[in-house]
């Protein structure tokens, strides 16, 4: 099975595996959503099985909760644990300041709540997610279903005065129906191409009636772990101003693949 993984999946795996090395016994962890985070949950489960690591995970989506439970990772809710030591999650884009775009998996609301309720956030990503300026990936905005077309129009009107390259907005669909998030909301994707001032955009969007949250994560991420297809891993710490490179041996055990089709 390991030989069948593409270079990008290998990159995701080594980033996830390296990030789980930050996890210490007794920690309360935010568990992200997405393909890279799924690798992280598998690597975490392996440490639990092999080392007896004791952790409590707070999933950021129903599918992460289901995966964690199926692999034997103890899970709880944020209301029960109150505060987290660490959140490990992926990103759709990150810039040199570790500002992020998240929400490609439609879990941005729970992801942002969990990340901001943590002492530290580590982002795991393949090298393709690194950009000089955010915006090539569509920015997700979670909105309530009531009056969503009006909310969309207000977003488009607001974007006219902001430093973005494009202003196309689309409702995210699931087949022939609007995609519905875990919180029973809709997602409007903003195809901006370039975001000149992410901090300003994030603040302005959240003041529009009907908007629940946006996918810009500003001043939340502390460390990014960037995986490469050859096993190299770059660890960048924005607070310490450091960057180092490791090599993660790509040798997933059968346990990590045991429940994969």
């Amino acid at each position: 099975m390991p030989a069948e993984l593409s270079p990008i999946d290998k990159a995701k795996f080594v980033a996830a595996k390296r990030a789980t090395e930050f996890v210490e016994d007794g920690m309360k962890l935010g568990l992200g959503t997405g393909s890279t985070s799924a690798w992280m949950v598998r690597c975490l489960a392996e440490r639990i099985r092999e080392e007896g690591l004791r952790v409590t995970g707070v999933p950021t989506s129903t599918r992460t909760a289901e995966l964690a439970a199926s692999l034997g990772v103890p899970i709880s809710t944020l209301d029960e644990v109150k505060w987290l030591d660490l959140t490990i999650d992926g990103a759709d884009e990150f810039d040199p300041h570790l500002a992020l775009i998240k929400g490609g998996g439609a879990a941005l609301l729970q992801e942002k709540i969990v990340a901001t309720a943590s002492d530290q956030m580590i982002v795991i990503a393949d090298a393709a997610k690194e950009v000089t300026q955010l915006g090539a990936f569509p920015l997700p905005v979670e909105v309530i279903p009531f009056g969503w077309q009006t909310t969309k129009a207000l977003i488009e009107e607001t974007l006219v005065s902001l430093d973005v390259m494009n202003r196309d907005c689309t409702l995210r669909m699931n087949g022939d129906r609007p995609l519905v998030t875990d919180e029973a909301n809709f997602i409007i994707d903003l195809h901006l191409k370039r975001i000149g001032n992410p901090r300003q955009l994030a603040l302005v969007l959240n003041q529009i009636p009907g908007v629940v949250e946006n996918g810009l994560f500003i001043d939340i991420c502390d460390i990014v772990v960037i995986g490469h297809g050859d096993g190299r891993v770059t660890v960048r710490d924005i607070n310490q101003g450091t960057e180092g490179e490791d090599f993660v041996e790509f040798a997933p055990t059968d346990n990590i693949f045991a429940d994969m089709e």
Side-chain angles (χ1 to χ4, degrees):
M1 176 70 77
E4 297 174 8
L5 289 182
S6 66
I8 194 166
D9 281 330
K10 290 179 182 178
K12 292 176 180 181
F13 169 78
V14 296
K17 187 171 180 63
R18 177 65 179 86
T20 57
E21 295 177 11
F22 286 89
V23 178
E24 300 176 2
D25 195 59
M27 274 189 167
K28 293 176 285 187
L29 302 171
L31 306 178
T33 295
S35 58
T36 312
S37 293
W39 280 117
M40 177 270 298
V41 174
R42 294 177 187 282
C43 292
L44 184 63
E46 186 176 45
R47 285 197 62 191
I48 291 170
R49 284 190 298 265
E50 296 190 352
E51 304 172 23
L53 183 72
R54 296 170 301 166
V55 296
T56 300
V58 173
T60 54
S61 67
T62 300
R63 57 187 179 278
T64 295
E66 292 172 348
L67 176 63
S70 72
L71 294 172
V73 177
I75 58 175
S76 185
T77 67
L78 188 58
D79 286 334
E80 290 174 338
V81 302
K82 303 293 191 296
W83 194 259
L84 302 170
D85 299 293
L86 173 66
T87 287
I88 304 176
D89 202 349
D92 298 302
E93 282 186 349
F94 66 92
D95 72 8
H97 308 289
L98 301 196
L100 320 171
I101 286 183
K102 289 181 52 57
L108 66 98
L109 179 56
Q110 291 189 30
E111 288 173 335
K112 188 175 280 191
I113 292 171
V114 167
T116 54
S118 304
D119 288 336
Q120 189 175 55
M121 181 190 191
I122 297 176
V123 161
I124 47 178
D126 58 89
K129 302 297 193 302
E130 184 171 9
V131 297
T132 56
Q133 191 168 39
L134 299 177
F137 191 91
L139 174 64
V141 177
E142 187 156 344
V143 303
I144 65 170
F146 176 82
W148 72 265
Q149 294 187 63
T150 299
T151 303
K152 176 174 175 289
L154 288 170
I155 292 172
E156 291 169 338
E157 181 180 333
T158 300
L159 290 175
V160 172
S161 62
L162 296 174
D163 185 8
V164 297
M165 183 178 292
N166 195 55
R167 297 190 297 274
D168 293 339
C169 302
T170 58
L171 179 68
R172 192 180 301 183
M173 304 296 289
N174 182 16
D176 60 353
R177 297 175 179 272
L179 181 144
V180 178
T181 70
D182 279 355
E183 301 300 320
N185 295 317
F186 291 169
I187 297 283
I188 295 175
D189 287 313
L190 280 52
H191 304 267
L192 306 176
K193 297 186 179 179
R194 179 186 60 78
I195 300 173
N197 190 332
R199 188 183 305 276
Q200 178 192 43
L201 178 60
L203 291 171
V204 170
L205 285 173
N206 279 10
Q207 294 182 36
I208 297 173
V211 169
V212 180
E213 190 53 83
N214 69 82
L216 285 165
F217 284 50
I218 312 295
D219 298 332
I220 297 176
C221 174
D222 299 285
I223 296 172
V224 62
V225 180
I226 308 164
H228 305 269
D230 60 1
R232 287 180 300 116
V233 176
T234 304
V235 180
R236 189 175 302 156
D237 188 321
I238 193 71
N239 298 316
Q240 299 295 326
T242 59
E243 180 172 319
E245 190 168 285
D246 298 328
F247 185 86
V248 175
E249 189 68 32
F250 183 73
T253 67
D254 290 339
N255 283 336
I256 286 184
F257 294 101
D259 63 338
M260 297 179 70
E261 296 294 335

